[in-house]
């Protein structure tokens, strides 16, 4: 069995704040203990239903004028972008 605490240990040492999300971990209170996490602020569990409206993730590559969208620093002053 893989010990997840070995994999997460370098992350917990490097960063002050770590947010873990999953659609399958349960019971929620057990995982901070298994992963060797201390000072856990909040754990939340949300029920999932298919009755609610869902978001549609998409990648926007062109604006409404069909000009390609870019985040390049060199083009930040270009009003056409």
């Amino acid at each position: 069995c893989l010990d997840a605490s070995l994999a997460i240990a370098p992350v917990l040492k490097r960063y002050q704040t770590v947010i873990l999300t999953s659609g399958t971990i349960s019971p929620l209170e057990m995982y901070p203990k298994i992963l060797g996490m201390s000072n856990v602020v909040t754990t939340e569990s949300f029920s999932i239903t298919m009755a609610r409206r869902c978001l549609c993730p998409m990648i926007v590559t062109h604006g409404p004028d069909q000009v390609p969208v870019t985040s390049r620093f060199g083009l930040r002053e270009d009003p056409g972008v």
Side-chain angles (χ1 to χ4, degrees):
C1 195
L2 178 63
D3 184 356
S5 66
L6 297 176
I8 196 76
V11 175
L12 297 176
K13 286 181 184 175
R14 182 171 180 178
Y15 299 101
Q16 180 179 357
T17 302
V18 177
I19 299 172
L20 301 175
T21 63
S22 173
T24 58
I25 56 176
S26 179
L28 205 53
E29 298 77 23
M30 180 177 73
Y31 283 86
K33 294 175 188 172
I34 290 174
L35 297 175
M37 298 173 73
S38 60
N39 202 17
V40 175
V41 176
T42 303
T43 56
E44 284 289 331
S45 180
F46 300 101
S47 61
I48 296 177
T49 65
M50 298 309 285
R52 66 186 172 140
R53 291 185 49 164
C54 295
L55 297 175
C56 178
M58 63 178 67
I59 298 171
V60 177
T61 59
H62 290 77
D65 55 0
Q66 298 307 309
V67 174
V69 175
T70 182
S71 60
R72 293 181 66 185
F73 180 81
L75 297 175
R76 70 181 181 154
E77 298 295 328
D78 186 348
V81 177

